[in-house]
């Protein structure tokens, strides 16, 4: 039987291990309550990385890493939103993630109603105003800063917490639900927070750093020591991130509370998910990719560790028993799950699988492996990524292949290979590739299998896996 009301909440750059319901230190009571009445997927991973490729995965069920990359939604792809609209659902999008419509990306295609809040980095340059050490705060005209930002800053031009992007988005979404709550509906609410810049009100940050005095740290996207970040800088960054995450949780609570007031809490399916995580000092890195220098338009070798690849997924189905599952699932499974909820079938080329049976507590066998990857590019190629600017790929980029037991980070046979036993080493501190060559080979076979399944071009397959193509 189809579910008539579906709310999907996407929050960018969420570290699942920091959430309260996972034992994390961040105060997230609203997500904790949602998790307590839902199915929590403890082994859910990103597929295509980062922001725009992940949205492509969500809305099509296909892997952006195989060829679509960071760019517009192709006309040849039928979004699941278009399918739902054609099936009689009222479809609503409320987003502040600034890539749905920029440069004709058309990720708003198919929605009956779509609100692009334009409150984030690319929409309002004042939210990208920093003060470098020894410099006054000034406007940067929407461009990313070219230095590792640390030091005190004056507050952005906001009259209060409600002017922050996530609250603006959740308030608009709650308001919009008033207009459609009696319909069959699918509502997608997507906030870019807690993506940097981490600039929540100071009272959020002080919970995690009591002596906080107004500093802000912008992640250098690289090695913290190489880029001159001190221990205090890392503390400030982690506290600012935690405060931003708590802010997001508070206003997700506002949106979920609206379901109660509208009388539809018990009839609405709710999905909460993130696209990827972020390194906040782990592996000596801060960021989700590695640049040669802050702001420089080059991508160096960027391993996708668990802190980046493993992300939260909560699915609440009305009437279903809550629980947790450790079966493997990934971003390609979101679209088939949503289509299953409304009684529709995935189209051609969709290789995801519905998670609805698992969410309803039925027997479920997860994937045997997951591939998490940037859109494939060879060194020397220019790619659009992260901030919609052309960047040069300098190094071969490792992908991450995850199985229930292992995590393999692999670029080419000539590059470093990292293998971790997640059963005994979940923080990936001990590389055991040299001691487990047979495991490495088996993982590479799974990697090749994913590349074939998703139709990755030969020019990307052969240099990476010459023995398999």
């Amino acid at each position: 039987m189809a579910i008539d009301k579906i709310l999907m909440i996407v929050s960018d750059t969420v570290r699942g291990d920091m959430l309260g319901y996972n034992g994390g230190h961040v105060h997230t009571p609203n997500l904790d309550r949602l998790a307590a009445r839902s199915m929590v997927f403890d082994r859910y991973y990103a597929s295509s990385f980062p922001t725009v490729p992940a949205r492509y995965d969500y809305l099509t069920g296909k892997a952006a890493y195989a060829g679509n990359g960071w760019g517009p939604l192709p006309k040849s792809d039928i979004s699941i939103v278009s399918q739902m609209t054609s099936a009689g659902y009222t479809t609503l999008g409320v987003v502040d993630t600034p890539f749905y419509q920029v440069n004709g990306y058309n990720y708003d295609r198919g929605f009956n109603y779509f609100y692009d809040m334009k409150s984030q980095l690319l929409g309002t340059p004042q939210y990208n105003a920093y003060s470098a050490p020894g410099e006054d705060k000034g406007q940067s005209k929407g461009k990313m800063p070219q230095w590792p930002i640390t030091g005190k800053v004056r507050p952005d031009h906001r009259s209060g917490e409600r002017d922050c992007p996530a609250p603006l988005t959740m308030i608009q979404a709650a308001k919009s639900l008033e207009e459609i709550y009696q319909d069959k509906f699918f509502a997608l609410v997507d906030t870019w927070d807690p993506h940097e810049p981490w600039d929540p009100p100071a009272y959020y940050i002080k919970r995690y750093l009591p002596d906080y005095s107004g500093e802000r740290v912008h992640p250098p996207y690289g090695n913290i020591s190489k880029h001159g970040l001190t221990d205090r800088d890392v503390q400030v960054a982690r506290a600012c991130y935690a405060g931003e995450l708590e802010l997001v949780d508070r206003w997700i609570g506002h949106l979920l509370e609206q379901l109660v007031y509208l009388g539809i809490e018990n009839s609405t399916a709710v999905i909460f998910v993130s696209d990827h995580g972020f390194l906040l000092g782990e592996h000596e890195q801060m960021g989700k990719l590695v640049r040669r220098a802050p702001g420089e338009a080059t991508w160096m070798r960027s391993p996708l560790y668990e802190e980046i690849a493993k992300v939260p997924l909560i699915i609440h189905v009305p009437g279903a028993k809550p629980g947790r599952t450790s079966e493997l699932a990934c971003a390609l499974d979101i679209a088939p799950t949503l289509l299953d909820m409304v009684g529709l079938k995935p189209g051609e080329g969709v290789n995801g699988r519905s998670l609805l049976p698992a969410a309803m507590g039925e027997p479920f066998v997860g994937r045997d492996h997951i591939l998490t990857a940037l859109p494939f590019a060879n060194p020397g190629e220019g790619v659009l990524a992260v901030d919609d600017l052309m960047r040069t790929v300098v190094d071969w980029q490792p992908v991450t292949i995850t199985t229930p037991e292992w995590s393999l980070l692999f670029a080419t046979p000539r590059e470093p290979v990292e293998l971790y036993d997640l059963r005994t080493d979940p923080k990936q501190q001990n590389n055991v590739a040299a001691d487990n060559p047979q495991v490495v080979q088996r993982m590479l076979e799974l990697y090749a299998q994913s590349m074939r399944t998703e139709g990755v071009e030969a020019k990307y397959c052969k240099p990476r896996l010459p023995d398999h193509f």
Side-chain angles (χ1 to χ4, degrees):
M1 181 177 179
I3 299 172
D4 286 347
K5 303 178 191 303
I6 305 169
L7 170 62
M8 178 173 169
I9 303 170
V10 181
S11 179
D12 201 288
T13 317
V14 174
R15 279 280 297 269
D17 61 329
M18 291 188 173
L19 298 171
Y21 71 86
N22 284 329
H25 71 288
V26 179
H27 185 62
T28 54
N30 295 294
L31 288 174
D32 296 351
R33 282 192 288 270
L34 176 63
R37 63 189 187 96
S38 307
M39 183 60 67
V40 174
F41 289 78
D42 289 322
R43 301 292 307 281
Y44 171 82
Y45 287 83
S47 297
S48 304
F49 170 87
T51 308
V52 173
R55 271 68 181 177
Y56 178 85
D57 288 3
Y58 296 159
L59 295 177
T60 68
K62 302 176 184 179
Y65 63 66
N68 190 61
W70 183 292
L73 180 64
K75 292 182 178 180
S76 58
D77 284 312
I78 301 175
S79 164
I80 61 167
V81 178
S82 297
Q83 293 177 259
M84 290 181 178
T85 302
S86 297
Y89 279 73
T90 299
T91 50
L92 165 71
V94 184
V95 309
D96 63 53
T97 298
F99 300 109
Y100 277 81
Q101 294 180 314
V102 68
N103 295 334
Y105 273 21
N106 295 322
Y107 275 82
D108 56 335
R109 185 192 307 157
F111 285 95
N112 294 123
Y113 306 102
F114 193 84
Y115 295 86
D116 188 340
M117 302 303 292
K118 299 189 184 301
S119 58
Q120 289 282 7
L121 187 68
L122 298 184
T124 54
Q126 67 266 25
Y127 288 173
N128 192 29
Y130 301 86
S131 60
E135 295 188 18
D136 292 333
K137 182 180 175 71
Q139 303 299 325
S140 61
K141 299 181 181 179
K143 295 181 180 179
M144 295 297 289
Q146 303 299 304
W147 54 82
I149 305 296
T150 63
K152 293 185 178 181
V153 297
R154 295 194 298 270
D156 287 321
H157 301 293
R158 297 170 178 165
S159 61
E161 178 179 333
R162 288 172 178 258
D163 289 337
C164 295
L168 288 171
T169 297
M170 299 302 160
I171 290 170
Q172 179 61 59
K175 180 181 178 181
S176 299
L177 286 179
E178 295 179 20
E179 304 297 322
I180 67 169
Y181 77 97
Q182 297 183 80
D183 300 346
K184 294 194 305 182
F185 71 77
F186 169 69
L188 171 64
V189 182
D190 189 336
T191 181
W192 210 24
D193 290 340
H195 191 287
E196 73 271 10
W198 305 311
D199 52 357
Y203 46 83
Y204 280 100
I205 301 170
K206 285 181 177 291
R207 181 192 297 273
Y208 309 99
L209 191 64
D211 65 343
Y212 178 69
S213 59
E215 305 103 311
R216 183 186 297 179
V217 173
H218 189 80
Y221 279 48
N223 182 274
I224 55 178
S225 299
K226 176 182 176 182
H227 294 302
L229 270 67
T230 65
D231 290 344
R232 173 67 179 186
D233 293 331
V234 174
Q235 288 179 333
V236 169
R238 291 181 67 87
C240 289
Y241 172 86
E244 191 94 20
L245 181 54
E246 181 178 341
L247 171 70
V248 171
D249 176 85
R250 177 181 179 182
W251 290 94
I252 286 177
H254 173 80
L255 177 58
L256 295 176
E257 190 176 54
Q258 180 74 316
L259 302 180
V260 178
Y261 283 111
L262 294 174
I264 59 173
E265 180 188 30
N266 295 326
S267 58
T268 302
V270 180
I271 296 176
F272 172 78
V273 71
S274 186
D275 54 355
H276 55 76
F278 203 83
L279 291 169
L280 291 162
E282 299 84 5
H283 308 284
E284 296 298 311
Q285 301 290 325
M286 186 176 292
K288 57 181 179 279
L289 290 164
V290 177
R291 288 191 282 241
R292 183 158 46 204
E296 188 178 70
T298 55
W299 290 137
M300 312 301 289
R301 186 177 190 273
S302 302
L304 301 178
Y305 291 108
E306 284 273 294
E307 291 88 353
I308 297 174
K310 183 181 175 183
V311 283
L313 173 64
I314 301 171
I315 301 180
H316 170 71
V317 176
K321 184 178 179 180
R324 302 184 79 122
T325 176
S326 59
E327 294 289 329
L328 289 185
C330 73
L332 299 178
D333 301 328
I334 296 295
T337 301
L338 290 167
L339 292 175
D340 198 6
M341 285 183 173
V342 302
L344 298 174
K345 300 293 185 183
E348 184 178 354
V350 175
N351 294 310
R353 59 186 68 182
S354 174
L355 302 177
L356 183 57
M360 296 182 69
E362 298 174 6
F364 175 76
V365 177
R367 293 171 172 267
D368 62 354
H369 75 284
I370 292 167
L371 174 61
T372 305
L374 280 157
F376 283 105
N378 293 336
E381 294 182 351
V383 296
L384 290 174
V386 179
D387 44 21
D388 203 34
L389 298 177
M390 186 65 70
R391 298 182 183 277
T392 300
V393 177
V394 176
D395 295 331
W396 293 97
Q397 294 302 316
V399 303
T400 298
I401 304 100
T402 306
T403 69
E405 299 85 14
W406 301 94
S407 174
L408 179 73
L409 283 68
F410 180 88
T412 75
R414 297 177 301 279
E415 299 291 320
V417 177
E418 299 177 55
L419 178 70
Y420 301 98
D421 188 338
L422 297 176
R423 297 164 295 185
T424 59
D425 184 23
K427 294 188 179 298
Q428 297 172 297
Q429 299 296 309
N430 184 26
N431 180 7
V432 296
D435 298 328
N436 295 275
Q438 291 182 330
V439 174
V440 171
Q441 288 305 310
R442 172 57 182 155
M443 300 284 278
L444 293 181
E445 291 171 5
L446 295 173
Y447 179 18
Q449 177 183 320
S450 285
M451 295 180 87
R452 292 190 188 94
T453 299
E454 299 298 339
V456 178
E457 292 183 67
K459 68 176 182 178
Y460 300 126
C461 296
K462 290 182 178 180
R464 289 166 171 81
L465 296 172
D467 294 337
H468 294 80
F469 290 93

